Amino acid sequence: MIDGDWPPMVTSQAFDLLPEDVQARFGAGEFTALNGGFLHIPVEREAELVAELRGRGIEVTRDDALINELDGRGFNPAG
């Protein structure tokens, strides 16, 4: 990213990955001063969102460890 934010927030990638009608139905666009826009989907809607995506033939699984890694929480520059 131009301003040096790395990695981008995982929640910002929802704009590229989820169909626009799913974004509108389940989430709301939010903005942070440092990291820009992201899609906020309340955790209470998780089961409904998963059912919707699976109903469209999209395979989804929950992997908190992977999300934390993608979000930079597992990054250790010291090795």
Side-chain angles (χ1 to χ4, degrees):
M1 299 192 79
I2 285 179
D3 60 2
D5 291 336
W6 183 89
M9 292 188 313
V10 171
T11 51
S12 69
Q13 296 178 29
F15 289 125
D16 296 326
L17 298 173
L18 291 175
E20 288 185 20
D21 66 308
V22 172
Q23 293 178 38
R25 180 174 167 200
F26 291 96
E30 301 283 342
F31 187 81
T32 69
L34 298 176
N35 296 308
F38 69 97
L39 185 66
H40 176 254
I41 300 174
V43 70
E44 298 84 25
R45 307 240 14 227
E46 178 181 6
E48 187 182 0
L49 172 61
V50 167
E52 175 68 26
L53 294 173
R54 287 182 177 158
R56 294 174 181 226
I58 300 170
E59 183 179 332
V60 294
T61 58
R62 182 174 177 148
D63 189 332
D64 292 333
L66 176 60
I67 293 299
N68 288 337
E69 191 70 30
L70 292 173
D71 216 14
R73 294 181 189 167
F75 178 69
N76 181 355

